[in-house]
Amino acid sequence: MEGMQRMSDQDDIAVIRAFHALLESRDVPGLLALATDDIGVGGGRGRGEGKAFFAEWVRFATISLTPRRWFRQLRVEREGRHGTPGERASVVVVEEDAVWRAPSSGREMGRMRFATIYEIENGLIRSVARYGNIGEAVTTAGLYPEHEIAV
């Protein structure tokens, strides 16, 4: 998926699905194409910002993610003027099963279930932040059980 086009006209869920697929294949250029310039990344090893930080995170990540439950809320949607693209922002929380593998052998090093908050702006990922469980992530994102969606 290298050289992937910006997905602003596609569903935010498709952006996150692409993120999972590109992360699984460690496609750094593909993932960078899905990110805003100031992407924020937060997880078990701290927080950082920007595409350079995100690229390093991907290069050293040994994680595979399998989505389980999805919550979504559209935060902003405005049509553009005179045929220009509009603005769109949403927050998506995904409960995920994570598996870490040794880079050299592929041997499983650990697994756990956690939740990630993805902020999407105009088809690009603005931030990715990991939380300990789905309840914590949904609450932090300001969502409620009725925001759960079938994917």
Side-chain angles (χ1 to χ4, degrees):
M1 293 186 114
E2 191 172 318
M4 186 172 205
Q5 294 293 319
R6 183 173 158 170
M7 301 179 77
S8 62
D9 61 338
Q10 294 189 21
D11 186 61
D12 299 336
I13 301 304
V15 173
I16 297 169
R17 285 181 183 264
F19 171 87
H20 284 103
L22 293 165
L23 181 63
E24 185 70 27
S25 65
R26 303 299 180 257
D27 182 343
V28 175
L31 283 162
L32 290 175
L34 287 180
T36 62
D37 289 339
D38 63 346
I39 185 171
V41 179
R45 295 187 175 173
R47 298 191 169 291
E49 187 175 291
K51 282 191 171 183
F53 180 85
F54 183 50
E56 283 302 303
W57 178 82
V58 173
R59 285 185 188 100
F60 289 101
T62 61
I63 194 170
S64 294
L65 299 172
T66 303
R68 295 292 172 210
R69 293 173 65 194
W70 298 71
F71 294 76
R72 179 181 183 270
Q73 183 181 43
L74 186 62
R75 296 282 167 94
V76 174
E77 187 168 36
R78 293 186 200 107
E79 290 187 29
R81 296 178 49 162
H82 310 293
T84 61
E87 293 180 49
R88 181 179 176 90
S90 65
V91 62
V92 181
V93 176
V94 183
E95 183 179 49
E96 298 161 321
D97 286 336
V99 176
W100 288 267
R101 298 194 179 279
S104 57
S105 67
R107 185 174 69 86
E108 185 176 312
M109 302 297 291
R111 65 175 49 232
M112 72 182 294
R113 182 170 286 177
F114 57 72
T116 304
I117 298 175
Y118 298 89
E119 292 182 21
I120 311 294
E121 286 185 357
N122 298 320
L124 296 174
I125 300 171
R126 186 179 189 302
S127 72
V128 178
R130 187 177 101 189
Y131 289 84
N133 61 62
I134 191 69
E136 178 186 13
V138 166
T139 300
T140 300
L143 303 182
Y144 298 95
E146 58 266 23
H147 289 112
E148 187 167 3
I149 59 173
V151 174

